Amino acid sequence: MSTTSHEKSADIESGLDHHDLHGANGAHLDRTGTVMMPPWGGAFQPGPYKQSFRKFANPAPLGLCAFALTTFTLSLINAQTRGVKVPAIVVGSAYAYGGFVQLLAGMWEMAVGNTFGATALSSYGAFWIAWGIIETDGFGLTAAYEGDPAGLNDALGYFLMGWFIFTFLLCLCTFKSTLAFCSLFVFLDLTFLMLSLCHLQHDNGVANVAFGKAGGILGLITAFIAWWNALAGLLETSNSFFTVPVYHFPWSEKVKEERAKARTD
């Protein structure tokens, strides 16, 4: 389908950007005359949403990529890939990309009216900053547990368990979205669970290696799913010969709308 520059401008003015018209997200949902878009991980939207009339780019792919890369790097180390066990190299990414940039993406989600995206991306950006602080000796957080490795592992386990609970709450919001989006939070939740158990199930202050490696493997899967959702938000017919599928659930609003339309045709 070809679109002239004038038509593109009109689409943007009406809140329908070129990606949403021609990308992987599919057709619009119409609810009482209001143009609605189907749930879509590419925009970090777990339910049908109304396009913002503000002329902002989609911040979700940026936040997802920041999250994915930092998670990918740490997960390789958690899985002890090629014998690497020290996560110091991840601190820079945790502060700059997974932390600061993802936090900015969350704030921009707030500007476009996406409450879920703002909550999730801002929170996980803050998680990475917090993790970086914990790993930075200058803050003295781990030094406070000097001589008490069991206490340090328990404290880290509590911290990660809190993120497991928070991610579970977000996961509940994605069951009517897409397979791509829902699976991101399912695997992230399992990752936090394994990593929390890695510290809580310690052996006299020594972290549980099996749970740690399991968390690393699950984290790698999570990172690639995050990139999958980011790619869905980036690819469109204007810049790519293909789009990636996101697989709407059979019970999602988009599929219900398509079924209703098919019955009336």
Side-chain angles (χ1 to χ4, degrees), residues 145-245:
Y145 296 89
E146 187 175 358
D148 185 17
L152 175 60
N153 272 279
D154 286 336
L156 290 171
Y158 303 153
F159 173 72
L160 292 167
M161 185 60 70
W163 285 100
F164 162 73
I165 296 170
F166 171 72
T167 303
F168 176 75
L169 298 178
L170 292 183
C171 188
L172 294 177
C173 300
T174 66
F175 291 149
K176 296 179 71 174
S177 60
T178 66
L179 176 63
F181 199 43
C182 182
S183 61
L184 171 62
F185 288 90
V186 169
F187 278 95
L188 178 58
D189 208 26
L190 292 174
T191 300
F192 277 126
L193 178 61
M194 292 298 104
L195 293 179
S196 65
L197 291 175
C198 168
H199 293 286
L200 293 175
Q201 296 296 316
H202 61 82
D203 182 12
N204 294 321
V206 178
N208 189 296
V209 175
F211 280 123
K213 287 185 176 181
I217 294 170
L218 289 167
L220 287 171
I221 297 172
T222 301
F224 280 107
I225 295 175
W227 271 319
W228 173 18
N229 281 277
L231 191 61
L234 290 170
L235 291 179
E236 54 186 59
T237 54
S238 66
N239 63 22
S240 175
F241 292 106
F242 65 95
T243 57
V244 294

Side-chain angles (χ1 to χ4, degrees), residues 21-228:
L21 288 174
H22 303 281
N25 198 18
H28 306 301
L29 294 173
D30 193 345
R31 291 286 184 269
T32 64
T34 301
V35 177
M36 302 289 287
M37 300 301 298
W40 187 37
F44 228 76
Q45 293 280 5
Y49 64 101
K50 183 178 179 180
Q51 281 289 90
S52 172
F53 285 87
R54 300 182 181 92
K55 296 181 181 178
F56 287 125
N58 178 12
L62 174 61
L64 285 162
C65 286
F67 172 83
L69 188 145
T70 313
T71 301
F72 172 78
T73 310
L74 180 60
S75 295
L76 283 173
I77 297 172
N78 284 337
Q80 299 186 11
T81 307
R82 304 189 72 173
V84 179
K85 301 178 183 179
V86 179
I89 195 65
V90 189
V91 173
S93 177
Y95 278 127
Y97 197 34
F100 181 65
V101 170
Q102 189 178 183
L103 180 62
L104 287 178
M107 294 297 100
W108 289 322
E109 287 284 9
M110 191 172 295
V112 300
N114 183 1
T115 303
F116 181 90
T119 302
L121 292 178
S122 300
S123 296
Y124 291 126
F127 163 79
W128 281 116
I129 294 172
W131 183 87
I133 290 173
I134 292 171
E135 291 292 322
T136 302
D137 292 338
F139 286 100
L141 298 185
T142 56
Y145 296 89
E146 187 175 358
D148 185 17
L152 175 60
N153 272 279
D154 286 336
L156 290 171
Y158 303 153
F159 173 72
L160 292 167
M161 185 60 70
W163 285 100
F164 162 73
I165 296 170
F166 171 72
T167 303
F168 176 75
L169 298 178
L170 292 183
C171 188
L172 294 177
C173 300
T174 66
F175 291 149
K176 296 179 71 174
S177 60
T178 66
L179 176 63
F181 199 43
C182 182
S183 61
L184 171 62
F185 288 90
V186 169
F187 278 95
L188 178 58
D189 208 26
L190 292 174
T191 300
F192 277 126
L193 178 61
M194 292 298 104
L195 293 179
S196 65
L197 291 175
C198 168
H199 293 286
L200 293 175
Q201 296 296 316
H202 61 82
D203 182 12
N204 294 321
V206 178
N208 189 296
V209 175
F211 280 123
K213 287 185 176 181
I217 294 170
L218 289 167
L220 287 171
I221 297 172
T222 301
F224 280 107
I225 295 175
W227 271 319
W228 173 18

